[in-house]
Amino acid sequence: MGSNKVVNKDDSQTATETQQTTETAERVVITANEMVPVPEPSEYNFFTERELEKILANLDTLRDDVYPSTGAEPEHSAANHSFPSVCLIGLGRCGSNIALEVATLVYRARSYYLNEFKTQETQRIEKDGRPLRWIRRRLHLNAENTLKPIFLIEPIVMLGDLDKDIAGRIRYSSRTEDGKFLENYTKMKIMDLSEVHAGGAGNAPILGQYLAKIILNKDTEKFSNQDWKFIHSYLIDSCGIKANQSRLYFYIFSAGGGTGSGMASEFGLAQQYAYMRKTFEIRPNDTLDDDRHRSFVFEPIFTSGICILPNISNQQASVSEALHINAGRLLCKYLSEEWDFSYNYEDEAESEASVMQRIRPWNAMMLISNDIMRYAEETDDGKIEDIDVNSMEKYANQYISQQIFNILTAQAVTTDYDENYFRRAGIDIGETIRLDANDLFMSLAGPVAVAYAESVVPHQEATFGDKHHNIDVDDLFYRSIELPHFNKDTQAIEGISLLPIESQRYRAALEKYKSNSYDASALNDLHFFKNCSSIVSIVSLPKDFKLSYVDLNRLKSHLNALFPNTTLKRYALVIGTSANLSLTTLVAKSPCLSDDFITLIVSYIKRCFAKDKYRYEETLDKTLIDMIKAEEFDESKIDQLVNVYESPAKILDTNWFAIKPMYEKKYRELIRDDSKFQSINDIRLSSENIKKTIRYLREIYRHRISRTKILSLSE
C-alpha cells in the first residue's frame, strides 16, 4: 500500500537530499517511473504487546475502572463483568463530540429507566433539544404504560483528540451540564495524547496520520499517562480474544479535518494489524488456558469508520477548499487499501507476508454527508440562507446517533441489556432476528451509505389477530430514500445519508418514482442502486406491534426492485427497543460511485498530484471519468497527468519543508529506535494509490449478477 511506504534509512536520506536540489516549496519533481516500495509486515512498526500476562492485567485494570466496585457480593465483582459488545471511538473534535452525544443519550435513557421517568432532573434534561426529544419519543418515555420499551445498551466510548484540553472541553460541554455524566458514565474514557502533541494537526491529514504513527509505534510503557496502556491493550492488543468481549468497533471522525481524518485510518490499521497477526499466531499447547479471562480463543470482529463528509454543493456558503482536499485524500487512501484487500489478487498467496501487506483500516466505512443535512433544515420551516454551520452539525450528529443506535440494537446480545429489561418489558427474545459481528463482517465491506425512516404506531395492547395496524409501508420506504428531512411526528431525521446524484436531479427522479406508483425503473438505473453488491436492512418494531407478512414482503419487494443486482441481502428484526416502527438500510460499495464521492477524490488529485498544466482545467476530470468507464484501463494516462507523490504543500499555506523536520525530530525523540524511524515522506500517497482507487471504482462500476437458470435433465 502506497500509504504505508517504508524505505530503508540510507535510501530515505539519499532521496531527501536529491529532493532538496530539485524541489521548490510547492512542487515535488520525481520521475514518473520511480518505483513505489511495498511494505513488509514488520515495517508497519505498530507497537503491540506480546506478553499475554500484561494484556490480561491491563484488561483487568480497565474492567475494574469500567465496573467500579460497589461493595456487592463477589459474584457481582468487576472480574465477572463482560466488556460491552460495542465500542465507539470518537477522534478529532467532530468525532469526539458525536461519540459524546451518543454516550450522553444512553446515560440519560438509563437515568429515565432507573428513576421511573418521573424525576425533576429528567424533566429538566428534557428541554435539551431535538436529539433528546427523538430518543424520548423513540423509547416511549412519555407514555403512561407500565411496560416501556427502553434502550439500555451501554457501549464503551473512547474519545481522542490532538488537543491538550480535550478533557476540559468535554467536562464543560453542554452535553454534560448536569454535572453527573462524567462521574457516572464509567464506560467513557478519554485518550489523553497531549504528551505526544498538544496543538492539533493544523488541518493537514498527513500530519495527523504521522502523529498517530508516533502514538501507535511507541511502547505503551513509556507513556507518562498510565491510562493509555490499558486503553491500548483493550483497543489493539486484545481485539478478538476471549478476555475482551467487544466485537463491534465504530470509529467516528470528520473527513475534512486534519486530526480525525489523519488519525482514524491509522488507528484502524493498527487494530487490524494486531488482529490479523493473531490469525497467524500459533501458541504451544502448554500455554493454552481454558479459563474465561485467560483464554486466547479467537473470534471475528467488525469495525466500521463513520465518516462525516464536508459540504460540497451548498452555494450559499463558501466552504474551505482544504476540507474537500482532505476528504478526498482519506477516500483515495481508503479505496486503494480496500482494493488491495478485496480485489488485488495478482500476487495472491496464503502466506502471512501476503495477507499482512494488504490490511485495510476497517471492514466498512459509513458515509454521512454534512452537506445534505441542510435539506432537513429546509423542510423544517426554515430558509436555506438562514442555516448556520452549528445547526447543520447538530443535524448530522443526531442522524449519526440514530444510525448507531439502530445498528447496536440489531446486533446486541442479551448481556448488553439491563438484567431486568426483558422481564419488565415482556419481550420474547425468541422473536428477534439479530445480526452478530460475523453477519456484518460478511455482509458489509467498502463504502456504505444509510437510508432511514420511522413511523409512529398507535400504542395498543392488542395482538396481531385482534386489530389491524394502519402503517403505510410504501411511504415508509419512500421516506427512507428521500433527501434528508425532519419528521415532526417522531423527532427523527429521515432520508439517505449520501445523495446518489445532484440534488435537483435526484428530486426529479424521486417524484417520478412516487407518481408512477413506486415503479423502481425511475431510480434503479442510478449507479448507487444498480451497482450495489449487498444491503443490510434492520426493521425495528415496538413490543406490541406485529408487522404482517404482507407488509414485510412489501418492504422486501421494494428493496428487490430498487437494488436489482445485489448479491447478498440480510435482514434483522428487532423487537421492543423502540416505540416506533423504523427501517434502516445499509447500502454497500456502490456509494463510491455517487457524485459527491467522485468529486471529492478528483478535487484532491487535481490539487495535490496534478502536473501544473492540468491543475486548473478539465483534462484530468474527464480522463478520470473515462478511465472508470473504459473497457480497458490504461495506467500510463495517470503517469502523464500526475506526479508520483502527493505534495502536502498544496494544502498548507506555509513552507512544507520547514514543517517536515520538526515532526521528524519529534518522532526520533519519542521513539528512540533508529530501526523504527519513518520519514514523513514515507506516508505520502502516491500515483499507485490513484491507480488502485480507479481500479476499485472500475470494479464497482462493472458489478453485475447472473440470474440463476433452472437446469433440467428432462426434455
Side-chain angles (χ1 to χ4, degrees), residues 32 78 151 244 260 329 332 345 351 364 374 380 393 403 423 471 531 571 575 602 637 673 685 715:
F151 176 83
N244 179 356
R329 182 184 193 272
C332 186
Y345 301 130
S351 67
R374 65 193 174 95
D380 189 27
E393 183 177 277
Q403 308 324 319
R423 176 180 59 79
I471 292 293
N531 300 95
Y571 301 95
I575 300 173
V602 174
K637 291 183 179 179
D673 182 350
L685 300 194
E715 290 295 331

Side-chain angles (χ1 to χ4, degrees), residues 21 46 125 196 251 280 297 307 335 339 351 361 366 416 418 421 427 434 436 442 477 529 572 574 610 613 627 645 662:
T21 62
F46 293 129
I125 295 174
V196 171
Y251 292 79
F280 295 99
V297 175
C307 173
L335 285 198
W339 165 260
S351 67
M366 193 180 301
D416 284 331
D418 183 275
Y421 168 60
I427 294 170
R434 75 178 193 90
D436 59 27
M442 296 297 182
F477 183 81
F529 303 113
V574 184
K613 63 180 179 179
M627 284 191 288
Y645 291 109
M662 294 164 49

Side-chain angles (χ1 to χ4, degrees), residues 7 128 175 477 480 534 554 567:
V7 296
D128 278 359
R175 298 171 181 83
F477 183 81
S480 76
S534 66
R554 185 73 176 158
T567 308

Side-chain angles (χ1 to χ4, degrees), residues 9 27 74 105 202 256 285 335 340 345 371 445 508 512 523 684:
K9 189 178 173 185
R27 188 167 179 223
L105 292 180
N285 289 333
L335 285 198
D340 271 335
Y345 301 130
D371 190 46
K512 185 176 180 181
L523 290 175
R684 287 177 299 168

Side-chain angles (χ1 to χ4, degrees), residues 436-448:
D436 59 27
N438 209 32
D439 290 323
L440 295 174
F441 180 89
M442 296 297 182
S443 305
L444 296 177
V448 172

